């Protein structure tokens, strides 16, 4: 792994942290005061800052630092996270996201915006809490480099290379160092011997160890510090360099460093010189048992420095004690381990996998399904009775294949949460722009759907949200006048329903202005001035190509694309969209999407000798038309009467130009399908072969778009079957030619 | 013999940087994602030195350090705190919890290795 890969990981992580940040801030906005929420928000910014620093992304660091400082005020209860405060923070989160994006992809950030927010954040950190002023960030311009207070605590650079030349060092100043560690020094994992070793690298040195306070072994507390050292060091380094050796330990020892008089070291001190063999530190012998280094060291010194003979008996006693203690500690650690294991078992275990690998797996499983189907078919052809062992085995294989397929699909399933979270930013920004106050409520964010569906969902959803904010919700004044809460609410929900995902976008705005929509449709020649339309039909006119309700094109939603584009993209996903609206109370957009784009439950039918697959979700019922139920209408239109209502009959073979004349309906089967507008059509096919799950193979990717055809698949016998685009066929039956459909699809 | 370093950090970025830096310097590296996992891994991994972050979910660096110091078997292992938390108060708390030393993020690989060398035999 190289730095670029780590950087990529960093940006991935940033995305997660930004999502975490935003959802935490939104929780706070809803009144959540759980300290863990505040901590999670803080950690998110903190993590981004940490990583950004490592890659020298200074803009990001500088902004994250200011943000972090303000968040720290919230964390330590010095700043109340009011709505106003959170508004600034949510905006800051947006800027942080922009800065991250720029750091990754290049481009420009809105400098004025981020500078403004830096000021606002600083004001929050300073204004409310004068005491925090001392630790408030330096006046940061966004382009400032790493914050200075970080630098202030950087460990002093310590390079051993500089000390290689010991001959020269010997010529320097001599220092007298007195070093008396306290027991805490050992307790924190510092080690006197290592500090002394570091000291030797500074120059020529002689060490005298004072073992005077060392008690006899059986009175010795293994945790206590008994030794102290007097060191005479000749070095060219400064006193500060010497002190920096004790940087980690200075609180836990008595340390004195002073320049020595040129006089020779005093010789009448009551001290025993101890041989100080540095080679012992280099590995093995000093790689102590993990009990207590202090003991070993003390024992080692003990053996050398005190009378061995009197020590032996005591040592045996001490050793026995140590063993006992070890046994007890082993038991204690075992319990701790068990507790920890219990604590972590609840946490979810996840791994990250490259998307390509999953896609490859899905492709392979698709091939497996096809292969299995082909195998089944050829066995059935050769074994009519269906009782042979091979046949039985194949059934099991079929079941297993199906399960593998479901499991693989589940890998790709992702919660819609990230897309929903993006929407809250859009609501914020657009609401700000148009001067409205709007709250976004999301529900069912954890509803899972195939990743490709999620990826393609963001765009139409963004467009719809913009529309809802711009056109749906009224201005606060209008809302007040209408007796509503001045703050509008947009609710975004997701749920699973009968093998599809249902996404609803509900606003409590003014609803569709049917008069205006109707007028607009007439002006744009979408409908005849005298046409008689139901409310539902009028509402659905907004999805018509070339329709835009805003009287003046606004910045936000009037970018030349209307709801027809939204509808196209939803349809391209195999989904449907509909609207219902109540004047004065708001609108509800309902989208129903397939959970996956990789497989499809379909009905296999025959039309003019061709095998076609009709998506099962589109079919309401199938029926065998009787001659009496068929009514001709106009030159070549026919209707079928189903339970006392009439439904247009569409010959699929004719629409797709498989045959020149319409087939006799009585000889075929009618599939009653529901189309986008809510109306029903009866599709005529010659025969139904069966129902099965098929693996979708994109026609566009392998061939080219064919009007009326959504995709292709490979059947059990190895033949390619086309998957019918029901909506396109129904549209064609309404008089729009398939060619027109095609050009629309291309522009959409 | 390779020295073993246990690193505890919730950031994948930092974990990877530590891994690369330490492996390049010839250390054996074991990694945990938070304090709880750190204490769990500690058992049986027998590290020569521990490098830990402070801000982490579930169990933060302070709690983790205290946990290590309470552990009879591993309480003498040197612990370096790796964090951007640079004000004196945080450093003080880390020391009180039992930290051996500290490294300020963004860390410089050379400084990290230096600091580790300083506290290990």
């Amino acid at each position: 792994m190289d730095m670029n890969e780590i950087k990529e990981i960093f940006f991935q992580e940033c995305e997660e942290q930004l999502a975490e940040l935003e959802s935490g801030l939104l929780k706070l906005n809803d009144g959540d005061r759980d300290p863990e929420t505040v901590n999670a928000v803080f950690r998110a910014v903190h993590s981004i800052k940490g990583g950004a620093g490592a890659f020298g992304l200074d803009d990001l660091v500088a902004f994250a630092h200011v943000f972090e400082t303000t968040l720290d005020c919230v964390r330590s209860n010095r700043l109340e996270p009011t709505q106003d405060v959170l508004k600034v923070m949510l905006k800051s989160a947006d800027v942080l996201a922009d800065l991250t994006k720029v750091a990754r992809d290049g481009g420009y950030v809105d400098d004025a915006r981020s500078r403004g927010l830096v000021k606002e954040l600083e004001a929050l950190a300073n204004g409310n809490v004068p005491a925090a002023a001392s630790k408030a960030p330096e006046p940061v311009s966004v382009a400032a480099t790493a914050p200075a207070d970080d630098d202030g605590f950087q460990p002093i650079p310590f390079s051993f290379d500089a000390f290689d030349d010991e001959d020269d060092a010997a010529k320097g100043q001599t220092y007298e160092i007195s070093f008396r560690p306290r027991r805490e020094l050992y307790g924190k994992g510092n080690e006197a011997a290592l500090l002394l070793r570091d000291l030797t690298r500074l120059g020529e040195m002689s060490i005298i160890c004072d073992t005077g306070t060392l008690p006899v072994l059986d009175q010795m507390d293994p945790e206590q510090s008994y030794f102290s050292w007097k060191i005479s060091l000749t070095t060219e380094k400064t006193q500060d360099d010497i002190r920096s050796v004790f940087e980690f330990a200075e609180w836990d020892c008595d340390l004195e460093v002073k320049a020595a008089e040129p006089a020779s070291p005093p010789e009448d001190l009551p001290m025993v010189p101890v041989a100080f063999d540095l080679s012992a530190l280099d590995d093995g012998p000093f790689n102590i048992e993990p009990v207590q280094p202090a003991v070993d060291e003390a024992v080692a010194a003990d053996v050398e420095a005190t009378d061995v003979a009197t020590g032996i008996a005591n040592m045996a006693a001490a050793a026995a004690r140590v063993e006992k203690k070890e046994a007890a500690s082993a038991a204690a650690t075992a319990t701790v381990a068990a507790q920890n294991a219990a604590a972590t078992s609840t946490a979810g275990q996840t791994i990250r996998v490259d998307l390509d690998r999953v896609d490859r797996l899905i492709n392979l499983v698709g091939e497996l399904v096809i292969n299995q189907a082909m195998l089944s078919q050829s066995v059935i052809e050769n074994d009519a009775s269906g009782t042979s062992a091979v046949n039985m085995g194949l059934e099991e294989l079929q079941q297993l294949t199906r399960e593998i397929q479901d499991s693989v699909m589940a890998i790709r399933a992702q919660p819609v949460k990230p897309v929903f979270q993006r929407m809250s930013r859009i609501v914020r920004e657009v609401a700000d722009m148009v001067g409205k106050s709007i709250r976004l409520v999301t529900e069912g964010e954890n509803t899972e759907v195939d990743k490709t569906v999620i990826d393609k969902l963001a765009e139409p959803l963004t467009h719809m949200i913009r529309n809802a904010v711009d056109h749906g919700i009224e201005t606060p004044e209008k809302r007040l006048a209408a007796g509503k809460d001045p703050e509008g609410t947009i609710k975004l929900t997701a749920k699973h329903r009968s093998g599809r995902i249902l996404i609803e976008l509900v606003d409590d705005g003014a609803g569709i202005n049917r008069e205006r929509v109707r007028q607009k449709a007439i002006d744009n020649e979408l409908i005849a001035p005298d046409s008689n339309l139901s409310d539902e039909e009028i509402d659905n006119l907004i999805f018509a190509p070339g329709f835009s309700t805003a009287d003046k094109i606004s910045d936000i939603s009037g970018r030349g694309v209307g709801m027809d584009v939204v509808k196209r993209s939803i349809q391209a996903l195999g989904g449907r969209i509909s609207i219902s609206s109540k004047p004065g109370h708001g609108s509800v957009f309902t989208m129903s999407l397939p959970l996956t784009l990789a497989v499809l439950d379909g009905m296999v039918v025959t039309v003019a000798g061709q095998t076609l697959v009709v998506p099962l979700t589109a079919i309401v019922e199938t029926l065998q038309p009787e001659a009496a139920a068929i009514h001709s209408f106009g030159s070549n239109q026919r209707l079928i009467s189903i339970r006392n209502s009439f439904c247009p009959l569409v010959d699929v073979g004719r629409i797709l130009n498989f045959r020149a004349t319409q087939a006799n309906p009585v000889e075929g089967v009618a599939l009653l399908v529901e189309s986008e507008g809510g109306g029903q059509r009866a599709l005529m096919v010659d025969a139904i072969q069966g129902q099965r799950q098929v693996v979708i193979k994109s026609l566009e990717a392998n061939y080219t778009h064919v009007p009326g055809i959504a995709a292709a698949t490979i059947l059990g016998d190895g033949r390619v079957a086309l998957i019918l685009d029901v909506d396109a066929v129904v549209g064609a039956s309404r008089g729009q030619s398939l060619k027109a459909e095609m050009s629309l699809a291309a522009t959409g | 013999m390779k020295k073993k370093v246990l690193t505890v950090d919730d950031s994948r970025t930092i974990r990877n940087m530590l891994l690369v830096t330490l492996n390049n310097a010839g250390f054996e590296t074991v990694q945990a994602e938070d304090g709880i996992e750190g204490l769990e891994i500690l058992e049986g991994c027998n590290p020569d030195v521990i490098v830990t972050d402070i801000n982490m979910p579930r169990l933060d660096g302070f709690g983790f350090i205290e946990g290590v110091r309470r552990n009879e078997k591993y309480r003498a292992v040197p612990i370096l705190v790796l964090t951007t938390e640079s004000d004196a108060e945080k450093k003080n708390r880390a020391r009180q919890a039992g930290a051996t030393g500290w490294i300020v993020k963004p860390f410089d690989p050379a400084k990290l290795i230096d600091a580790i060398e300083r506290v290990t035999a």
Side-chain angles (χ1 to χ4, degrees), chain A residues 226-245:
Chain A
Y226 293 111
F227 294 170
S228 62
W229 288 269
K230 287 236 183 289
I231 303 127
S232 166
L233 174 71
T234 307
T235 177
E236 289 195 320
K237 301 285 164 190
T238 66
Q239 196 160 324
D240 282 347
D241 291 332
I242 295 168
R243 285 196 174 268
S244 80
V245 170

Side-chain angles (χ1 to χ4, degrees), chain B residues 4 25 34 36 50 55 57 70-71 86 90-91 98 103 109:
Chain B
K4 197 188 267 182
D34 60 38
I36 300 266
I50 297 170
N55 269 298
R70 271 198 304 273
N71 184 317
S86 43
K90 290 269 157 48
K91 212 161 72 181
I103 308 147

Side-chain angles (χ1 to χ4, degrees), chain A residues 321-468:
Chain A
R321 271 207 309 275
V322 169
E323 256 171 51
K324 207 167 145 196
K325 203 169 168 190
E326 254 185 311
S329 77
T333 51
T335 358
V336 171
Q339 280 165 356
N340 287 341
T344 46
S345 63
T346 49
Q349 298 255 324
T350 54
I351 56 160
R352 290 176 168 272
V353 182
D354 202 23
L355 197 58
D356 284 347
R357 292 194 197 178
V358 178
D359 284 345
R360 204 161 65 221
L361 188 60
I362 287 187
N363 238 322
L364 280 173
V365 172
E367 300 291 333
L368 179 69
V369 171
I370 291 166
N371 209 281
Q372 177 265 326
M374 286 165 72
L375 199 57
S376 294
Q377 191 140 346
S378 75
V379 168
I380 288 164
E381 278 163 14
N382 294 306
D383 172 32
S385 67
T387 49
S388 73
V390 178
N391 219 321
M392 308 290 244
L394 265 177
E395 261 169 49
E396 271 172 48
L397 179 66
Q398 188 173 355
Q399 183 119 14
L400 284 174
T401 318
R402 185 82 184 221
E403 271 175 41
I404 293 175
Q405 194 173 15
D406 287 348
S407 313
V408 173
M409 292 303 164
I411 296 178
R412 279 191 65 106
Q414 300 272 314
V416 292
K417 197 172 178 177
V419 178
F420 276 25
Q421 274 179 340
R422 250 189 277 171
M423 296 308 135
S424 69
R425 172 174 184 178
I426 288 158
V427 169
R428 261 198 314 280
E429 288 186 346
V430 179
D432 254 17
M433 250 188 264
V434 296
K436 292 177 185 174
S437 169
I438 295 167
R439 218 159 67 91
L440 179 75
V441 181
T442 55
E443 234 172 64
E445 304 171 303
N446 291 322
T447 312
E448 290 190 336
V449 63
D450 192 276
K451 190 165 182 336
T452 36
V453 177
I454 290 185
D455 292 346
K456 290 181 181 164
L457 191 60
E459 214 183 295
L461 208 52
T462 306
H463 199 78
M464 290 168 68
I465 292 267
R466 283 170 181 275
N467 256 312

Side-chain angles (χ1 to χ4, degrees), chain A residues 86-100:
Chain A
L86 284 162
K87 204 166 174 190
V88 174
M89 295 203 162
L90 281 164
K91 279 190 210 159
S92 305
D94 295 345
V95 168
L96 197 63
D98 289 345
L99 286 167
T100 311

Side-chain angles (χ1 to χ4, degrees), chain A residues 31 68 110 114 143 172 209 226 250 316 322 416 446 512 527 538 562 585 608 621 665 690:
Chain A
E68 183 189 24
D110 185 350
S114 47
C209 179
Y226 293 111
E250 55 182 315
V322 169
V416 292
N446 291 322
I512 300 273
I527 53 169
I538 296 178
H585 290 88
E621 65 173 294

